[in-house]
Amino acid sequence: MSGDYRPDTVLAHAGRDPKAHKGAVNVPVYRASTILMPNLATLDAKETLRVRYARRGTPTTHALEEAVCALEHGDHALVAPSGVMAISVVLISYAEPGAHILVTDNTYAPVRKFCEGVLRRMGVETTYFDPAAGAEIEALIRPETGLIWMESPGSQTFEIQDVKAIAAIAKRRGVTTAIDNTWSGGHFFKPLEVGVDISVQAGTKYISGHSDIMLGTIACNAACYDRLREIYLRFGVCISPDDAFLALRGLRTLSLRLRQHYESGLMVAQWLEQQGEVIRVLHPALPSSPYHNLWKAQFTGASGLFGMVIHEQDRTRLARMFDGFGLFGMGSSWGGFESLMTPTNPAANRSATHWDPNGQTIRIHVGLEDPRDLINDIRAGFDRLR
Ligand SMILES: Cc1ncc(COP(=O)(O)O)c(C=O)c1O
């Protein structure tokens, strides 16, 4: 998409090309494997073709890549069949025997499992760093450090990282930076604009927005693309054209939905702060958050995912609360139109820092229901703790 358009306009138009598809507003689902060549000369020149075999992309998946690129202000994008696959492609692209990577201690647990279970076997050492580290990260960089992995905010504990400071140090020291940008949906934060090299999302969450597909996205600058694409192609990573179509459909309403998640989430978070059952609310847009200033400096909004710590830790009473909710569902993932609430145990996935909040940590996803109904549901749940 050419031109200097504002974010909502970009989301409405990116990746579309009605003239190339008989006027259809949306790029159709190209359900394909074989792509027939019109003649031998074209076959001989297939290296130059954008569409040559569906594993290497179809017009539908290319449209999604273009849209993700426009959303994240990248030079290039790749799409994968899950957020974890997108993360794995990035991590393994920087894996060389003897290499060292730095990973934030609040990272999504499967990232840690990949580092310990796969990268370690390949001879790559991982050091976990305090998510509160900004420029001090420099002390952990070694000559063999190839990658710094960030997640801001952490998806269970909601620390905001000083991404700009880390990216600046990394650039000076010749280290590539990557971030899990799922929480912002790529809408409230543009990591590549502040010097990060690679921005990954679980498109399963806000890009989809409807809890009906699995998707990973990688947006990157030109310097990283060839390395990432090489691994992507070698592993045969590709996504279904139906999922690409649904992801594009989700993208068109991303900013509308996120605006509502932001407003409703903040309303619920502010209400929670006033409740006696709650020790603290983990939401960077609340002025009480120790990360509020960092959030304000980097983000233009907040999604619907945040946390709280409550006094109650007795599993039987907690079960009474969770099992009786009328609106909050319990399950993995987030970013859909529906609200979720799950108890979490962030301490189990830490090694460089401690998570010891003296209560039960809970993750909440505020969906698109009326927040007043959600508040009533939580109030009734708290009452069941007695
Ligand atoms: C922060 C974060 N990153 C990545 C992922 C992985 O995405 P997926 O479930 O699509 O593999 C998740 C999934 O819950 C997540 O919460």
Side-chain angles (χ1 to χ4, degrees), residues 374-386:
L374 295 175
I375 285 172
N376 289 341
D377 206 28
I378 302 174
R379 185 62 259 162
F382 282 161
D383 291 344
R384 286 192 298 278
L385 289 173
R386 296 202 190 110

Side-chain angles (χ1 to χ4, degrees), residues 232-245:
Y232 181 90
L233 290 176
R234 297 293 68 84
F235 276 97
V237 181
C238 58
I239 71 167
S240 138
D242 294 294
D243 290 348
F245 185 90

Side-chain angles (χ1 to χ4, degrees), residues 42-53:
T42 311
L43 183 74
D44 287 345
K46 69 176 184 202
E47 300 290 332
T48 63
L49 298 178
R50 184 124 194 263
V51 179
R52 63 189 246 208
Y53 179 45

Side-chain angles (χ1 to χ4, degrees), residues 80-87 106-111 149 151 153-156 180-183 200-205 213-216 305 332-334 363:
S82 70
V84 163
M85 181 88 228
I87 292 168
N106 61 353
T107 195
Y108 178 57
V111 175
W149 179 267
E151 182 177 319
S155 69
Q156 291 197 347
D180 186 326
N181 192 30
T182 306
W183 186 82
V200 173
Q201 282 193 61
T204 310
K205 320 300 186 211
I213 57 167
M214 300 298 298
L215 177 73
L305 192 78
S332 299
S333 204
W334 45 280
R363 188 169 80 170

Side-chain angles (χ1 to χ4, degrees), residues 236-258:
V237 181
C238 58
I239 71 167
S240 138
D242 294 294
D243 290 348
F245 185 90
L246 286 173
L248 281 161
R249 174 186 276 225
L251 267 173
R252 306 299 173 211
T253 57
L254 179 69
S255 80
L256 261 182
R257 287 184 283 106
L258 277 171

